[in-house]
Amino acid sequence: MKKFVWTRKKKSSVGDKVFTIVNTVILTIFVIITLYPILNTLAISFNDGTDALRGGIYLWPRLFTWKNYQTIIHKQNLLTATEISILRTVIATVVQLFVTALLSYVLSRKNFIFRKQISLLYVLTMYVNGGLIPTFMLYKSLGLTNSFWVYIIPGMVSAFNMLVIRTYMVGLPDSLQESAEIDGAGHFTIFLRIIVPLCKPVFATIALFIAVYQWNSWFDTMLYNRMRGEFTTLQYELMKLLSSVTNNSSNAETMKQASNQVTPASIRAAATIITSLPIVCLYPFLQRYFVTGLTIGGVKE
Amino acid sequence: MEVTKKRKQNVINDKGPKISWREIRKQKELILLSIPFVIYALVFYYAPLGGWIMAFQNYKPKGGLLHSQFVGLAKFKTLFSNDVFIRVIRNTLCMGVINLVLSFVFSIGLAILLNEVRNKRGKKFVQTVSYLPHFLSWIIVTGIVLDVLSLETGIINQALVALHILNKPINWLAYPKFFWLIVGFANVWKETGWGSIIYLASITSINPDLYEAASIDGAGRLQKIFHITLPGIKPTIFILLLINVGNVLNAGFEVQYLLGNGLVQSVSQTIDIYVLKYGISMGDYSIGTAAGIFKSLVSIVIIFLANKAAKMAGEERLF
């Protein structure tokens, strides 16, 4: 670990002090700009909906209520959507991580004769793809539309994740694998027994990437599972709430709900908080892996 | 000593064994393992490329790919004589470039400022906060953008009115002239912290002696930033620039789709939204596919040109 320790001089210069102050001010503003909108949404989610329309709610609810959250819990489609979101996130993360790691292992073997060709086959997918419509038709012909599996099977192997994992694997000492090979271990054994335990940091990072991506997806729901209510995801339902807020802020439904002390806007605030909660809780724990796990400096073949 | 050094270099330069029957037999386990991956790539990534034929046909779902009338480049001609599509290309490019520039400037800036923070806990706190928006979905982020810019209750309008910069609140999302910047700053809000990780990592690998030497020469902190830190992370900046330049045309679908409205349609529609609208919603598969092909081809050309330029300049390159 090389680390630079600032050598503190006995008297720091004026320029130095000015720099520190300016830096602190800029970063404080940055933190406020990042946090305020989220805290504001939190406050609105706990505020009476009709009251919130008057504005002036900043960091604290003015008329505290659980009503917004209660309304969401009583909406049946939001509950099933939550189940689907959790299910897709868990299954996709496990499957994608395992499959991508296996490919990364194969492509991290320096003497593998088709290493270059298969790497290129996948790296090209980051830049070339059939596009929305041919992909849509492929999924349709494979029977993936109107099914849960459209969330899992496409994108099972991602070139970018493969590159990150492979870079990490290439960095592991060769001698470990060589000695296992001499002991007669097959590739599956080497992969499971030696590589996987050593790759925990990078796996944690990639698992987080996949999980967040899956949890946040809505476009695939809109495209492939719009017709089937039972497979819609939480984000998609949130999207529908969002568009109902932007498009008809003064229509009859809003008025009806307004008499109920909840408004589409206050429900959306509550749904936003619920949707982002798992991520906000999870990511600080995985944070320590980010920097060590994510070194794409070795993207170059 | 000499020998081991030589051997090590050999290992690094070794491109792996040549393809031969002997090697294939020796590596059959690895080959078997990789077969499903090759099939997967061919089916899920390369088979859709076959669908590109649609762009050269007057595709009718009834006839399918095999029995639709072949029309050559007619669909592309229609596309490029269409004012809407030309505008869509402009929108995609402009927003792509704005996003690219803003995200580079802000991420590198944040990384440098964070690196100068001496208080460890403060630094950690700022970092943790800065990553948060990256993990929120665009649905949530656009919802937040709408709240912040809202006419009656938005903080921006309230602040600007209170400071007497504005006389009365503005409906920001109703003016085409603001849209690109709103999208750009929504991106900045979401990704700056995340983008800075890679630069911070690369700053920590700069040789500390350089800073020592500069201090002795009497360099101030700003001078150190400009003469040591920035040149030190130049390779990282270049490689990320290369990766992202190829994605300029991909920059943006979700934000534009979610923030766009009838009033700003002329500046908010991107190629992807166009494809979705004409291709899937209106069922004109041929036109939608042609637009998609155009986007892919331009991306490829950009990435190869950028790689070539990097090679000529002697910088890091992708392949």
Side-chain angles (χ1 to χ4, degrees), chain B residues 228-257:
Chain B
I228 300 171
T229 312
L230 273 176
I233 59 173
K234 206 174 78 174
T236 311
I237 297 179
F238 266 93
I239 196 97
L240 289 178
L241 198 62
L242 268 182
I243 294 174
N244 292 331
V245 150
N247 278 324
V248 153
L249 289 187
N250 288 325
F253 162 72
E254 288 190 71
V255 217
Q256 289 85 348
Y257 185 83

Side-chain angles (χ1 to χ4, degrees), chain B residues 45-91:
Chain B
Y45 292 114
Y46 292 94
L49 294 177
W52 281 14
I53 296 172
M54 273 186 283
F56 305 97
Q57 291 177 330
N58 205 351
Y59 182 82
K60 294 274 180 300
K62 232 195 253 164
L65 282 180
L66 296 177
H67 301 288
S68 288
Q69 186 203 357
F70 190 78
V71 293
L73 292 173
K75 293 287 171 184
F76 286 91
K77 278 188 193 134
T78 324
L79 208 53
F80 285 104
S81 55
N82 180 352
D83 285 345
V84 176
F85 188 67
I86 302 295
R87 212 165 51 213
V88 162
I89 296 175
R90 180 204 64 182
N91 295 346

Side-chain angles (χ1 to χ4, degrees), chain A residues 130 133-134 137, chain B residues 48 51-55 76 79 275 279 284-294:
Chain A
I133 291 162
M137 291 177 69
Chain B
W52 281 14
I53 296 172
M54 273 186 283
F76 286 91
L79 208 53
V275 171
D284 194 340
Y285 289 160
S286 292
I287 278 285
T289 309
I293 292 178
F294 169 76

Side-chain angles (χ1 to χ4, degrees), chain A residues 16 20 23 33 55 58 111-113 121-122 130 137 153 155-157 216 218 235 268 279 283 287 300, chain B residues 17 27 29 37 40 45-46 48 52 59 113 118 128 135 137 146-147 153 158 189 194 221 253-254 317:
Chain A
D16 209 76
T20 308
N23 196 6
I33 290 175
Y58 302 105
N111 61 349
F112 177 44
I113 46 174
L121 193 72
Y122 272 95
M137 291 177 69
I153 292 172
M156 208 153 62
V157 198
N216 283 343
W218 59 277
Q235 298 284 348
R268 184 171 61 76
I279 287 168
Y283 94 101
Q287 211 201 109
K300 193 170 73 162
Chain B
Q27 301 191 358
E29 207 188 344
F37 289 106
Y40 182 88
Y45 292 114
Y46 292 94
W52 281 14
Y59 182 82
L113 293 185
R118 294 167 186 183
T128 308
F135 293 99
S137 71
L146 291 174
D147 283 341
T153 56
Q158 289 186 353
W189 188 82
W194 187 252
R221 286 168 82 177
F253 162 72
E254 288 190 71
R317 58 205 152 90

Side-chain angles (χ1 to χ4, degrees), chain A residues 9-17, chain B residues 118:
Chain A
K9 287 179 220 152
K10 288 227 171 69
K11 42 179 179 170
S12 49
S13 66
V14 181
D16 209 76
K17 267 184 198 154
Chain B
R118 294 167 186 183

Side-chain angles (χ1 to χ4, degrees), chain A residues 33-78:
Chain A
I33 290 175
T34 310
L35 275 187
Y36 173 77
I38 299 170
L39 295 176
N40 183 244
T41 308
L42 187 66
I44 290 174
S45 77
F46 280 113
N47 198 78
D48 182 277
T50 25
D51 175 65
L53 288 179
R54 280 171 44 218
I57 292 165
Y58 302 105
L59 291 173
W60 211 250
R62 188 166 45 211
L63 257 177
F64 184 87
T65 175
W66 289 100
K67 244 248 135 85
N68 301 318
Y69 288 93
Q70 280 165 350
T71 315
I72 287 181
I73 289 167
H74 291 302
K75 279 195 172 183
Q76 191 52 44
N77 60 340
L78 281 182

